[in-house]
Amino acid sequence: MTDWRTAPRSRYRSRTLLTRAVTTAASTVAGACLLTGCGLVPGATGGSGDTITVMTWAPEGTKATNMGGMPAMAKTYERWINAKGGINGRKLRVLTCNEHNTATGAADCARQAIAAKAVAVVGSYSQWGRAFMAPLEAEGIPFVGGYGVSAEEFQSTLSYPVNGGQPVLLAGAGHQLGKACEDVALVRPDTLAGDSMPILLNAGFKAVKPQREAADVRAPEDSANYGTQATEALTEAGKGKDKSKGCVAAVLGERTETFFDSFRRLDTQTKKPQLSSVLGSVSQSLVDRTGGKESQFEGAYVTSWYPVASDPLWQPMRKVIAENAFGDNRVDPDDTGTQTTWIAYSVLTEVVKRLGKDEDVTGRTVTRALNHSAGIKTGGLTPDLSWRYQDMRAVGGFPRMANGRVTFQIVQDGRIVAQPGESTMDMTQTLEAAPRAS
């Protein structure tokens, strides 16, 4: 066989010319891609070019907590912002995923976000932080405005929470109950996420009543009957001499209604404990469907991160829902999941605008903007938000907390309204002084 050293000169020259032609053509294409952005650069994410791809996930159709309003609100926001020309001229593409309230489901949703080259996961709900955060971290995808039910949302350097999550709600509920109650029974899910709840509620409760502590009543997350737990809660709340100052707080997500239905069947006339919960476990729609003014929730204390649903600050969101939800009844403007998703997408929009029209929107650039931006506004629904190093809080186990605000509310005449005489409170110092909850 003839090798190249002994081949005729004309054949060798032809091959050389062909190689040069191919190399020149490849260089020309590569140069054009660098100038126009063909999307061939390795590691480029879903924000390159004219489209910004993000994902929102939440559990739907489960026997426990369902938060279908969050992905529904995300799609509503997508329609609205794109009708306005997108974000800095870029179209917003929102992908949604059902995480089924399982660790496997959460991990699957994270993998879908990675496969779609999403630049962020926005306004989502999952208690399985360990399952979804590690894959996102490995790909550099920020988690913006999660609901706040997993500890990882307040620990990962790629998480940017817009509220104080479960820690702030429970500490706030403890403070609210501490001013009215002698004995408190906390009914909470018997899950990993639920294990920190007594510590957090007691942080607020003991700040008001240092010598007192709430009783811990564990309950199955997806039970259809809570008779045993209701009896235990009533007993614990009625231990004191003054039976009128016993309180029962239930934080069971969608199963809170089921618990209080079991509780209603008990003979509570001699004890009549004060009922309490947090927004997300109790909502205006729940009060409405259980009787309004005649509901068992009448007079109940409720703790929230945000202003009451009737506050004019929510009007822009309500207008967007009215004009863009297209009758999707999952989008409830009174629901904290819907509200959290609205705020999270408001943060994303503000951050992308700060990048400028000519800068690529990728997971890396969004993360950098979030890490260096101060005073991100949310229309007054939260304090101005910032996740810079100097803004981090000294809350054990929750260093990424950027918003410790809580509002105190009450069910009055069938409506959830601001509790008279109580103003917004920042629970950060209370949590800083509390034992580590995770």
Side-chain angles (χ1 to χ4, degrees):
M1 182 175 68
T2 304
D3 67 19
W4 67 270
R5 289 169 295 187
T6 60
R9 184 177 179 85
S10 59
R11 185 185 303 175
Y12 174 64
R13 187 169 184 274
S14 297
R15 290 180 179 176
T16 302
L17 291 173
L18 179 61
T19 301
R20 288 177 180 173
V22 171
T23 303
T24 301
S27 298
T28 302
V29 172
C33 282
L34 288 173
L35 291 173
T36 61
C38 296
L40 298 176
V41 181
T45 53
S48 300
D50 297 328
T51 301
I52 302 168
T53 300
V54 299
M55 176 175 277
T56 297
W57 65 56
E60 296 188 70
T62 76
K63 294 181 180 180
T65 298
N66 295 292
M67 301 295 288
M70 299 182 78
M73 181 69 240
K75 297 299 290 184
T76 300
Y77 193 95
E78 175 192 44
R79 288 189 287 269
W80 170 69
I81 201 73
N82 287 336
K84 293 177 57 182
I87 307 174
N88 271 359
R90 294 181 174 95
K91 180 181 178 181
L92 179 66
R93 178 185 177 221
V94 174
L95 307 177
T96 61
C97 183
N98 182 357
E99 63 92 70
H100 297 290
N101 200 35
T102 66
T104 300
D108 285 345
C109 286
R111 284 191 287 267
Q112 288 182 40
I114 293 166
K117 299 188 181 300
V119 304
V121 174
V122 186
S124 297
Y125 182 107
S126 179
Q127 64 175 303
W128 306 100
R130 292 182 183 177
F132 70 75
M133 194 59 76
L136 296 183
E137 288 174 338
E139 295 297 324
I141 299 175
F143 188 77
V144 182
Y147 193 81
V149 290
S150 69
E152 287 75 12
E153 293 175 58
F154 298 94
Q155 296 168 351
S156 172
T157 55
L158 278 179
S159 179
Y160 302 87
V162 298
N163 58 47
Q166 179 176 281
V168 162
L169 279 186
L170 287 160
H175 176 89
Q176 190 178 31
L177 293 171
K179 299 179 72 172
C181 313
E182 291 297 329
D183 294 282
V184 174
L186 170 64
V187 186
R188 53 87 170 182
D190 190 10
T191 63
L192 182 64
D195 287 344
S196 65
M197 289 185 177
I199 299 171
L200 296 166
L201 184 131
N202 280 320
F205 188 50
K206 296 178 77 170
V208 181
K209 287 186 166 60
Q211 306 304 317
R212 313 293 290 184
E213 190 169 280
D216 181 16
V217 180
R218 303 184 183 195
E221 189 179 27
D222 58 356
S223 178
N225 187 300
Y226 289 101
T228 300
Q229 290 77 21
T231 300
E232 182 182 354
L234 183 62
T235 300
E236 293 290 346
K239 283 185 174 181
K241 294 181 180 179
D242 189 346
K243 306 300 182 184
S244 66
K245 290 194 174 183
C247 297
V248 173
V251 184
L252 293 167
E254 285 194 354
R255 292 293 168 170
T256 301
E257 178 181 5
T258 306
F259 168 79
F260 278 120
D261 185 59
S262 297
F263 191 81
R264 178 178 56 85
R265 301 171 191 273
L266 302 178
D267 179 12
T268 61
Q269 293 304 307
T270 57
K271 297 180 180 179
K272 292 184 179 179
Q274 170 69 49
L275 303 187
S276 169
S277 191
V278 298
L279 256 285
S281 287
V282 169
S283 63
Q284 184 60 56
S285 60
L286 172 59
V287 175
D288 291 342
R289 69 173 178 265
T290 54
K293 293 181 181 180
E294 305 302 320
S295 169
Q296 61 182 313
F297 296 104
E298 181 68 20
Y301 289 152
V302 182
T303 314
S304 180
W305 303 298
Y306 311 129
V308 292
S310 60
D311 194 294
L313 290 171
W314 292 111
Q315 191 54 38
M317 180 193 72
R318 289 180 176 276
K319 187 173 186 295
V320 168
I321 292 173
E323 295 176 356
N324 298 273
F326 301 150
D328 189 338
N329 58 15
R330 294 177 300 165
V331 189
D332 179 1
D334 295 343
D335 175 65
T336 48
T338 297
Q339 293 169 353
T340 299
T341 301
W342 166 262
I343 293 170
Y345 273 91
S346 299
V347 168
L348 175 74
T349 300
E350 175 69 18
V351 167
V352 171
K353 286 181 177 179
R354 293 187 182 194
L355 288 177
K357 293 184 178 181
D358 298 327
E359 187 172 359
D360 277 346
V361 182
T362 68
R364 181 175 298 178
T365 58
V366 170
T367 298
R368 186 178 69 242
L370 286 163
N371 287 340
H372 293 91
S373 293
I376 296 176
K377 298 185 181 299
T378 60
L381 296 170
T382 70
D384 290 353
L385 299 173
S386 179
W387 298 273
R388 299 173 303 170
Y389 177 78
Q390 59 265 40
D391 299 315
M392 296 298 99
R393 314 297 180 92
V395 178
F398 305 95
R400 299 290 292 175
M401 188 177 294
N403 173 16
R405 179 187 289 181
V406 67
T407 62
F408 301 111
Q409 303 171 14
I410 189 171
V411 182
Q412 199 170 71
D413 294 326
R415 302 296 301 174
I416 299 178
V417 299
Q419 184 179 356
E422 296 291 338
S423 57
T424 298
M425 185 173 182
D426 190 326
M427 302 305 300
T428 304
Q429 289 188 347
T430 298
L431 289 169
E432 287 176 343
R436 187 180 175 118
S438 64

